[in-house]
Amino acid sequence: MANNPSQLLPLELIDRCIGSKIWVIMKGDKELVGPLRGFDVYVNMVLEDVTECEITAEGRRITKLDQILLNGNNIAILNRHFMCKLKKMRLHEKDIREELKS
């Protein structure tokens, strides 16, 4: 395994996130935040203590889940660093900060 992050394979980067809170943006209008417990070669993932945010016609719907299995085919973006400099964040900064405190 290489030490330089730019030389790591994608699965090695995900493996380094196990036990850390990650922000998962799914295809569609759903985002999840929670500690990564495991994944496989298809990037199917298990998260625990999950906060799910879904954009609906009525507005944002927040749901708390004990555990979830995500299908890797539906994952668009993974982010371990919640406060990165993204120009657009669909989850409000306040929601993310609350998740980081817990």
Side-chain angles (χ1 to χ4, degrees), residues 43-85:
V43 194
N44 298 316
M45 298 186 157
V46 175
L47 302 178
E48 290 184 341
D49 302 320
V50 179
T51 300
E52 176 185 67
C53 177
E54 187 171 10
I55 308 300
T56 65
E58 297 81 34
R60 285 186 316 131
R61 181 175 61 205
I62 305 290
T63 308
K64 298 283 188 176
L65 305 166
D66 291 333
Q67 192 173 59
I68 192 168
L69 171 63
L70 302 175
N71 183 322
N73 288 328
N74 296 319
I75 296 173
I77 298 173
L78 299 174
N79 189 345
R80 182 177 177 187
H81 303 282
F82 295 98
M83 295 303 152
C84 68
K85 296 179 181 178

Side-chain angles (χ1 to χ4, degrees), residues 21 33 35 49 51 64 95-102:
K21 273 193 179 181
V33 175
D49 302 320
T51 300
K64 298 283 188 176
D95 296 332
I96 294 170
R97 286 194 177 140
E98 286 175 14
E99 274 305 305
L100 289 173
K101 289 178 186 176
S102 60

Side-chain angles (χ1 to χ4, degrees), residues 8-25:
L8 292 175
L9 296 173
L11 292 179
E12 291 174 322
L13 286 172
I14 297 169
D15 189 55
R16 288 184 175 199
C17 294
I18 289 182
S20 299
K21 273 193 179 181
I22 62 170
W23 175 22
V24 181
I25 300 175

